[in-house]
Amino acid sequence: MRKPLLAMLSITLLFSSANLYAADLKADMHTLKDGLGVVQKSSDAQAIQKALAEMRTAAEDAKKSTPETLEGKSADSAEVKDYHAELDKLIAQIDVVDAKAKANDLAGVKEESKKLETIRNEGHKKFR
C-alpha cells in the first residue's frame, strides 16, 4: 500500500514542479515584455532604469527554467546552451541600454532598445 502511494506522490510532485517552472518562465517573459514597453515608451530615465533592472532579474531567472520546446533536453545539450546564450545576449544588451539610461541619453536608449526587440524576436523563433 505504501509503495503505490509514494509512487503516485512522486509523480504528482514531478508534474507540479514542471508546471511551477513553466509558470515562472511565463512570468519572467511577461516581465521582459512589460519592461521593454516601458523602455521604449518612457522619457523618464529613472523609470527606464527600474524597468531594465527588473528585466535583467527576469532574464537571469529565466535561465533557471527551460522552455517547453526544450523539455527533456539535458542541461548540457546544444539546444539548452543556445537558449542560455540567447538570454546572455539579452542581458548584455540590457546592460548597454542601462548605461545609456544612466547617462540620461534617451535617444541612445531608444536606439539600443531596438536591439532588445530583435533579440527577443530571434529567441522566440528559436525557442517558442
Side-chain angles (χ1 to χ4, degrees), residues 25 29 62 65-71 73 77-90 119-128:
L25 183 58
M29 293 300 137
S65 301
T66 305
E68 287 181 18
T69 57
L70 299 180
E71 281 183 17
K73 303 280 183 182
S77 71
E79 296 94 339
V80 172
K81 287 180 181 180
D82 190 29
Y83 169 69
H84 289 159
E86 197 72 24
L87 287 169
D88 288 337
K89 188 164 72 169
L90 180 66
I119 294 167
R120 177 200 64 196
N121 293 342
E122 290 171 355
H124 282 178
K125 282 181 187 176
K126 290 181 184 180
F127 305 111
R128 199 165 189 207

Side-chain angles (χ1 to χ4, degrees), residues 15-66:
F15 286 114
S16 66
S17 65
N19 286 338
L20 284 175
Y21 283 123
D24 287 342
L25 183 58
K26 189 173 185 178
D28 289 334
M29 293 300 137
H30 279 289
T31 300
L32 289 167
K33 176 184 174 238
D34 293 345
L36 182 58
V38 171
V39 170
Q40 291 179 327
K41 293 176 183 159
S42 182
S43 58
D44 179 354
Q46 287 183 326
I48 292 169
Q49 288 174 342
K50 182 178 183 280
L52 289 165
E54 291 170 356
M55 290 174 69
R56 191 176 207 295
T57 299
E60 288 286 351
D61 191 56
K63 289 171 64 174
K64 299 174 188 171
S65 301
T66 305

Side-chain angles (χ1 to χ4, degrees), residues 93 96-97 100 107-117:
Q93 188 60 29
V96 168
V97 177
K100 299 285 184 184
V109 165
K110 301 307 176 199
E111 187 62 32
E112 291 295 332
S113 71
K114 292 175 186 175
K115 293 178 185 172
L116 290 172
E117 197 169 5

